[in-house]
Amino acid sequence: MTYCVGMRLNAGLVFLSDSRTNAGVDQVGTFRKLSVFEIPGERLMVMMTAGNLSISQSIRQLVAELKTDDGHSIWTAPNLYEAARILGQAVRQVHARDAQALSEFGIEFNVSMIFGGQIKGERCRLFQIYSAGNFIEARDENTYFQIGEAKYGKPIIDRVVTPATSLDDAAKCALISMDSTLRSNVSVGLPLDLLVYESDQLALTHFVTIDDRNAYFQMIRNTWGQQLKSVFEGLDAPVWNAAPGIADNVLHAANTVNQPVRVTPPGGTVPASAHGPLQTLSQQFHDGQQ
């Protein structure tokens, strides 16, 4: 499995990928999933892949060589939209060549990509490309894409990142998103590839491969966990059976009627007296001390 995230911001682009591949609990490999297509001063494009590794490697090789009927390639496409179309065409060509044979062995044609960058004369753009070769583009309302094991790292991005977010803050958020995923899913693993591109540079500006010795990522992992715990401990405990007139942070008021769905034994009902009265948390604590 994998986790990749790409962000399109007013200031540029952020790409982050892990490098874990997993064909079973005893067969774990490391393959880099972030690739750069660059003509300095003219274009810089980044592709990240998730899914079947053999499919994504075939697509990466093909897209570097593919030419369309009108003679364009990823190296000469006039804009990022056309470059994304060429990548989609490469996906469909690999599907036409390999999908049937893979299906006969019970292997699904499974691949997804994040593709983005900048070509001279237009702004930065970001796309998500699917197994059918179709794609969507990031907009200000949805300024990022995730592929692979996305669910663990999504909440922090939703709360933090907007088009106005700085590149450094977006990179920090992406690393926190990755740390959340690493902690919750063993199929995602180090090292990480982080690429931060500043608009209109038209060349690679910031890139780092992050392993478990990287000082900044270790600080992120330790500090984020500590801060989350501190925030959690600073939240009020729930209030049960609150007296009338208490309005702050009340989970359950004494004058409300709430009952669970109860399942009764066959042939009878449980009398109301069999259910003990609700207690406040403080009452439960003191009862336990007796």
Side-chain angles (χ1 to χ4, degrees):
M1 200 54 180
T2 191
Y3 175 50
C4 302
V5 57
M7 303 175 182
R8 195 215 70 183
L9 313 158
N10 296 339
L13 298 160
V14 173
F15 300 91
L16 179 65
S17 73
D18 83 317
S19 58
R20 173 68 55 85
T21 60
N22 190 345
V25 294
D26 58 351
Q27 187 175 351
V28 177
T30 298
F31 288 88
R32 299 175 74 179
K33 304 161 189 174
L34 185 151
S35 303
V36 177
F37 304 82
E38 180 184 20
I39 300 177
E42 200 274 326
R43 67 186 59 210
L44 179 131
M45 297 164 290
V46 179
M47 180 179 74
M48 298 187 295
T49 61
N52 186 291
L53 183 63
S54 67
I55 295 172
S56 61
Q57 288 187 347
S58 294
I59 292 169
R60 181 175 61 187
Q61 180 65 34
L62 181 58
V63 76
E65 305 168 353
L66 183 66
K67 285 190 176 181
T68 62
D69 293 339
D70 57 4
H72 284 309
S73 71
I74 198 170
W75 307 106
T76 62
N79 53 61
L80 255 295
Y81 178 85
E82 292 300 325
R85 287 187 61 222
I86 292 168
L87 180 51
Q89 183 176 335
V91 174
R92 287 188 288 271
Q93 287 193 16
V94 174
H95 182 276
R97 186 189 70 193
D98 295 341
Q100 181 60 41
L102 291 171
S103 178
E104 291 173 1
F105 286 88
I107 301 172
E108 180 184 0
F109 189 90
N110 175 30
V111 68
S112 57
M113 287 157 285
I114 294 173
F115 177 72
Q118 186 175 25
I119 293 176
K120 189 174 183 178
E122 65 173 357
R123 65 164 296 175
C124 294
R125 301 176 75 173
L126 186 70
F127 300 87
Q128 181 169 350
I129 299 169
Y130 301 98
S131 293
N134 56 321
F135 55 86
I136 58 174
E137 183 173 2
R139 301 293 183 184
D140 287 346
E141 298 79 15
N142 181 24
T143 194
Y144 73 93
F145 290 128
Q146 299 169 289
I147 54 175
E149 200 59 63
K151 55 185 174 292
Y152 304 105
K154 183 173 171 38
I156 180 63
I157 302 175
D158 285 340
R159 289 179 180 273
V160 171
V161 175
T162 70
T165 302
S166 71
L167 290 176
D168 284 345
D169 281 350
K172 177 171 61 176
C173 183
L175 289 170
I176 293 171
S177 174
M178 180 65 74
D179 175 58
S180 299
T181 307
L182 290 170
R183 287 181 176 273
S184 299
N185 194 305
V186 296
S187 70
V188 178
L190 298 168
L192 315 175
D193 280 342
L194 173 66
L195 189 153
V196 177
Y197 171 75
E198 185 179 351
S199 289
D200 300 324
Q201 296 301 302
L202 297 172
L204 190 63
T205 51
H206 294 86
F207 176 81
V208 62
T209 296
I210 298 170
D211 60 18
D212 57 3
R213 297 167 294 179
N214 185 278
Y216 184 80
F217 189 59
Q218 287 304 316
M219 181 277 294
I220 286 285
R221 305 197 79 174
N222 295 330
T223 305
W224 180 247
Q226 292 167 2
Q227 293 295 332
L228 277 179
K229 186 175 181 182
S230 296
V231 171
F232 175 80
E233 291 173 346
L235 295 174
D236 291 340
V239 177
W240 293 89
N241 286 353
I246 297 178
D248 292 339
N249 304 325
V250 171
L251 179 65
H252 176 269
N255 59 352
T256 60
V257 178
N258 298 280
Q259 294 294 331
V261 176
R262 288 192 170 97
V263 181
T264 59
T269 59
V270 178
S273 59
H275 305 294
L278 294 175
Q279 295 178 297
T280 64
L281 295 182
S282 61
Q283 287 175 327
Q284 294 175 23
F285 174 79
H286 288 302
D287 290 346
Q289 301 300 311
Q290 295 176 355

